[in-house]
Amino acid sequence: MKQSRFLQAISLADRTPPTGLRPVRVHAEHYVEAVDVEPHCHVDLGQLLAPTHGVIRVTTEDNQWLVPPGRALLVPPGVVHAVHSPKEGRLRAVLIAPEMCRDYLSTCRVIALTILLQELIDAVARYPADYSIPSPASRMVVVVLDQIALAHSEPLGVSRPSDARLRRVTDALMAFPADSRSLSEWQDVAGASSRTLARLFEVETGMSFSHYRRQVQMQAAVGMLASGMPVGEIAHALAYSTASAFAFAFRKTFGCPPSRFRDQVERSNCRAV
C-alpha cells in the first residue's frame, strides 16, 4: 500500500453530522479571502464539495482537482485531502452518512451539477437538522442521493504519480502549465532518461506525456475561465499558438467550447448570489 505523505492529517468533527436516519446534511461555507485548508480527512462521513462562487482546488495523495461553480467533487470517507481557495469563495458542503457512501460515493470524482440537483441541495440546506420522518424533507434527501448517483463525471482531475522522478516533472507542470519543454528536456530535472519517463507516464498515469500535459493545461484553463479571463489571453498564457488551437484542445477534453463552459460557470455564479 502506498504510504501517504499526509501522515499528520486529522479527522474533523463537523457540527450536526448526518446519521443513518437523516443521511444528508448541507453546510454553507464562506471564505472571505484566499485560504488553505490543511490536509485532513472525515473518517465518519462522505462529502460533496460544491462551490457556488469562486473555484476550489482539492488535492489528495494521488490526484488534484479544480472545481468551478456548476460542478462538485465527491470525497469518500477517510480520504485525506487539502483544499485551496485562491480568493473569496462560497461553497456547499454536502455531508453524507458513511453507510450510504458505498452506493453513492465509492471514489473521488468531479460531477456536473444539474439545475435540479443544485436546487435540491439549496433546499436541504434550509431544513433543520431534526426534520420529521417521513416528511417532504426526508423524501427530498432520497432524491438528492439518487441525483448524485446518476450525475455525469467530468475530467477535471489530474493524477499525481508516486514515482519521485516523475513527480518532479508533474509538480513542475502543475506549477507552470505553459512549460513547453519536451520529455528529453526534463531528463536532468527528473534524474531519469526520456525513455524511462515515457514508460512511467504510461504506467502511473495511463496516458502519454503530451496527453498528461494537456490535461494539466485544461485544468488551469478551467480556473482562468472561471475568473473571467478572455479565451485569447488564456491561449497565450498556456502557450498555445492561436486561440482556435486552444479552443480545439478544450473542446476535445470537455466536449464543449471554452466560451460555453464559461457561460455555464457564470450562470451558476449568478444563481448563487
Side-chain angles (χ1 to χ4, degrees):
M1 179 181 295
K2 185 189 300 181
Q3 184 178 17
S4 173
R5 298 194 305 163
F6 298 145
L7 297 179
Q8 300 304 313
I10 59 173
S11 176
L12 299 184
D14 296 90
R15 48 184 205 283
T16 319
T19 65
L21 192 61
R22 297 177 179 87
V24 171
R25 293 295 303 150
V26 180
H27 294 314
E29 298 183 12
H30 180 199
Y31 304 133
V32 296
E33 58 186 9
V35 65
D36 284 293
V37 179
E38 292 297 319
H40 64 281
C41 68
H42 308 272
V43 174
D44 51 359
L45 57 86
Q47 281 189 306
L48 181 146
L49 301 176
T52 56
H53 182 79
V55 175
I56 60 170
R57 183 178 71 237
V58 182
T59 305
T60 67
E61 176 67 11
D62 302 320
N63 287 274
Q64 176 179 281
W65 291 269
L66 200 70
V67 191
R71 275 76 179 170
L73 177 68
L74 292 165
V75 184
V79 174
V80 178
H81 59 287
V83 181
H84 171 70
S85 176
K87 55 184 180 180
E88 180 184 5
R90 298 176 184 269
L91 64 82
R92 294 278 193 265
V94 181
L95 313 180
I96 305 174
E99 53 267 37
M100 305 300 297
C101 293
R102 185 177 296 106
D103 295 329
Y104 295 95
L105 226 166
S106 60
T107 186
C108 286
R109 63 187 180 102
V110 173
I111 62 171
L113 296 179
T114 62
I115 294 175
L116 172 60
L117 183 51
Q118 291 180 73
E119 294 291 348
L120 286 167
I121 290 171
D122 288 347
V124 172
R126 293 191 290 269
Y127 284 117
D130 58 349
Y131 58 79
S132 300
I133 300 175
S135 69
S138 65
R139 291 188 288 273
M140 193 171 293
V141 163
V142 173
V143 180
V144 167
L145 291 171
D146 283 344
Q147 289 296 306
I148 291 173
L150 293 171
H152 171 69
S153 297
E154 296 212 344
L156 290 172
V158 178
S159 61
R160 304 178 70 229
S162 60
D163 186 277
R165 297 165 296 178
L166 195 60
R167 186 165 281 194
R168 293 187 195 110
V169 179
T170 58
D171 283 355
L173 284 174
M174 288 181 181
F176 186 55
D179 197 315
S180 59
R181 279 179 284 181
S182 66
L183 199 54
S184 62
E185 293 175 295
W186 284 102
Q187 292 180 122
D188 291 341
V189 175
S193 68
S194 59
R195 183 175 179 178
T196 296
L197 291 173
R199 177 180 58 80
L200 288 172
F201 265 106
E202 293 287 353
V203 171
E204 294 224 10
T205 72
M207 62 185 74
S208 67
F209 166 69
S210 60
H211 187 184
Y212 185 91
R213 179 165 56 191
R214 184 167 68 246
Q215 289 295 105
V216 172
Q217 291 172 339
M218 293 302 102
Q219 186 181 85
V222 166
M224 295 175 186
L225 286 167
S227 70
M229 185 182 292
V231 171
E233 291 184 18
I234 296 173
H236 178 74
L238 295 177
Y240 278 84
S241 57
T242 64
S244 59
F246 162 70
F248 177 82
F250 190 93
R251 185 165 191 158
K252 187 175 182 180
T253 301
F254 297 109
C256 68
S259 56
R260 185 185 303 171
F261 190 98
R262 182 177 55 204
D263 290 345
Q264 293 172 356
V265 170
E266 289 177 350
R267 285 197 296 271
S268 294
N269 272 328
C270 288
R271 64 172 297 281
V273 173

